[in-house]
């Protein structure tokens, strides 16, 4: 008989607790236990719901994939001003120590980067090409020496360019460039003042644009772009495009006003190490407009396609 009150108390407890528990469970999953496949909502008033776009008005956070594909330009976080060590040591000594650490942490380096050093197989006129640069400097400012050119074996080089640039970072992924470029070929030699930008555009396109003004007053422009399509961790396909333009006729350089030269290529490289990557690809070059006509008068081909075999390296 003593057990009866206990049983009644437990039963009363379950009787009071079960509705609340059920409400919580219902709040977590309103469809739990319902057969949704057999339900017909056609006759139900869907008040307050946007049926055309279930996400209308909702702020959808960017996915991790979007963040990975888009270089950001957010400002750096503020420099911390709370220094707990100051509570235990002389603040002046700690400030001096932080200044020393900041000086030690400043980046200063140099590199030699050979983007292309290649043999170009062309029917009856094999040649070569190169493109690279060396730089020395810190995060914000660098001194850059860059060169590119091409030619055919057994002949005078068709193009030899040498640039000396000051490169200053104006954004996390972009630099401003200013300096001089000297063209040893084609003759007669020209020296240009050059201004431009260089950087990494959204979706990881390497881009470069230059405006050149020669010591003879002629003005030219160049735009380049390339993209590293990573097929595997070591196999990378790099399509590239370069477009040159002249703002007026320069007969002594066999260049006409307008777009005068277009280069396109695709190179497949295998990255043996990060510093060494041989490649094979296709290179196509075409003179355009009046420049093509002037070149034809000089016996030059308007268009050339070649098989490129080379190496990319940096130190």
């Amino acid at each position: 008989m003593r057990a009866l009150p206990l049983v009644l108390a437990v039963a009363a407890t379950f009787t009071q607790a079960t509705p609340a528990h059920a409400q919580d469970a219902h709040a977590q999953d309103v469809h739990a236990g319902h057969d949704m496949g057999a339900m017909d909502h056609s006759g139900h008033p869907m008040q307050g719901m946007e049926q055309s776009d279930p996400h209308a008005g909702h702020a959808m956070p960017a996915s991790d994939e979007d963040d990975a594909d888009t270089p950001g330009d957010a400002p750096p976080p503020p420099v911390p001003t709370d220094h707990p060590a100051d509570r235990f040591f002389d603040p002046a000594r700690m400030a001096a120590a932080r200044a020393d650490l900041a000086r030690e942490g400043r980046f200063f380096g140099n590199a030699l980067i050979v983007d292309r050093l290649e043999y170009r197989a062309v029917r009856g006129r094999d040649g070569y090409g190169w493109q690279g640069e060396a730089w020395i400097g810190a995060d914000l400012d660098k001194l850059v020496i860059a060169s590119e050119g091409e030619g055919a074996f057994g002949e005078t080089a068709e193009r030899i360019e040498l640039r000396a640039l000051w490169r200053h970072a104006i954004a996390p992924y972009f630099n401003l460039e200013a300096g001089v470029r000297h063209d040893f070929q084609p003759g007669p030699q020209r020296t240009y003042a050059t201004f431009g930008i260089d950087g990494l555009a959204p979706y990881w396109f390497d881009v470069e644009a230059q405006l050149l003004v020669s010591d003879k007053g002629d003005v030219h422009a160049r735009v380049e772009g390339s993209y590293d399509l990573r097929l595997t961790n070591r196999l990378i396909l790099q399509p590239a495009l370069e477009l040159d333009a002249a703002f007026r006729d320069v007969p002594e350089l066999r260049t006409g006003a307008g777009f005068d030269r277009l280069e396109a290529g695709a190179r497949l490289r295998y990255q043996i190490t990060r510093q060494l990557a041989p490649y094979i690809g296709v290179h196509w070059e075409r003179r355009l407009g009046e420049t093509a006509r002037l070149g034809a008068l000089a016996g030059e081909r308007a268009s050339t396609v070649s098989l490129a075999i080379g190496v990319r390296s940096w130190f």
Side-chain angles (χ1 to χ4, degrees):
M1 295 300 291
R2 291 182 178 178
L4 181 58
L6 178 60
V7 172
L8 293 176
V10 171
T13 301
F14 274 100
T15 303
Q16 294 174 359
T18 300
H21 179 74
Q23 289 173 5
D24 291 342
H26 186 73
Q28 294 173 3
D29 183 2
V30 296
H31 299 296
H34 295 182
D35 183 2
M36 305 301 293
M39 295 181 68
D40 182 6
H41 297 285
S42 59
H44 295 181
M46 306 299 285
Q47 296 178 356
M49 297 185 65
E50 296 287 347
Q51 299 185 37
S52 58
D53 182 0
H55 300 295
H58 295 187
M60 303 300 290
S63 67
D64 293 342
E65 183 177 354
D66 292 341
D67 292 341
D69 288 342
T70 305
D73 57 356
V79 177
T81 56
D82 57 327
H83 305 294
D86 290 354
R87 302 173 189 172
F88 306 98
F89 303 99
D90 181 5
R93 293 188 60 185
M94 294 309 302
R98 286 193 294 272
D100 289 342
L101 182 61
R103 281 194 294 271
E104 291 293 333
R106 288 176 184 168
F107 171 77
F108 188 87
N110 57 79
L112 171 62
I113 304 170
V114 181
D115 278 326
R116 299 175 196 166
L117 181 60
E118 62 191 24
Y119 170 85
R120 293 177 181 173
V122 185
R123 187 172 55 184
R125 192 170 177 265
D126 289 356
Y128 52 87
W130 76 88
Q131 183 177 33
E133 67 176 38
W135 61 260
I136 183 170
D139 291 327
L140 296 180
D141 295 283
K142 293 181 177 66
L143 174 64
V144 181
I145 303 296
S147 178
E148 64 179 275
E150 60 188 354
F153 294 114
E155 302 178 7
T156 303
E158 182 179 335
R159 185 162 60 97
I160 303 177
E161 300 175 2
L162 182 64
R163 289 182 289 163
L165 304 169
W166 167 70
R167 183 176 289 168
H168 177 72
I170 57 174
Y173 290 91
F174 274 92
N175 301 304
L176 181 69
E177 295 182 339
V180 295
R181 185 182 104 181
H182 186 79
D183 287 3
F184 295 92
Q185 291 289 349
Q189 296 187 17
R190 280 279 203 279
T191 299
Y192 300 88
T194 175
F195 310 91
I197 58 172
D198 166 83
L200 189 63
Y203 301 100
W204 307 108
F205 285 92
D206 282 305
V207 296
E208 187 172 2
Q210 303 159 12
L211 181 67
L212 305 110
V213 182
S214 83
D215 53 346
K216 304 299 182 183
D218 47 299
V219 182
H220 304 260
R222 172 177 292 174
V223 178
E224 299 178 63
S226 65
Y227 182 77
D228 279 357
L229 179 60
R230 190 174 288 275
L231 303 178
T232 69
N233 285 337
R234 293 180 179 272
L235 196 61
I236 301 167
L237 178 63
Q238 184 192 54
L241 187 69
E242 178 180 314
L243 180 63
D244 287 10
F247 286 76
R248 70 177 192 185
D249 292 336
V250 190
E252 59 270 32
L253 297 178
R254 297 193 296 278
T255 299
F259 294 113
D260 61 89
R261 192 171 65 91
L262 175 64
E263 285 188 11
R267 292 166 175 81
L268 181 66
R269 69 175 185 265
Y270 182 77
Q271 194 168 277
I272 298 175
T273 67
R274 292 180 63 83
Q275 290 79 20
L276 181 63
Y279 62 79
I280 185 170
V282 176
H283 178 84
W284 175 69
E285 179 178 350
R286 179 171 179 78
R287 291 182 172 84
L288 305 172
E290 179 67 7
T291 302
R293 191 186 71 82
L294 295 173
L297 294 176
E300 298 174 343
R301 297 177 180 174
S303 177
T304 304
V305 179
S306 58
L307 173 68
I309 302 173
V311 64
R312 182 181 189 273
S313 184
W314 59 271
F315 307 94

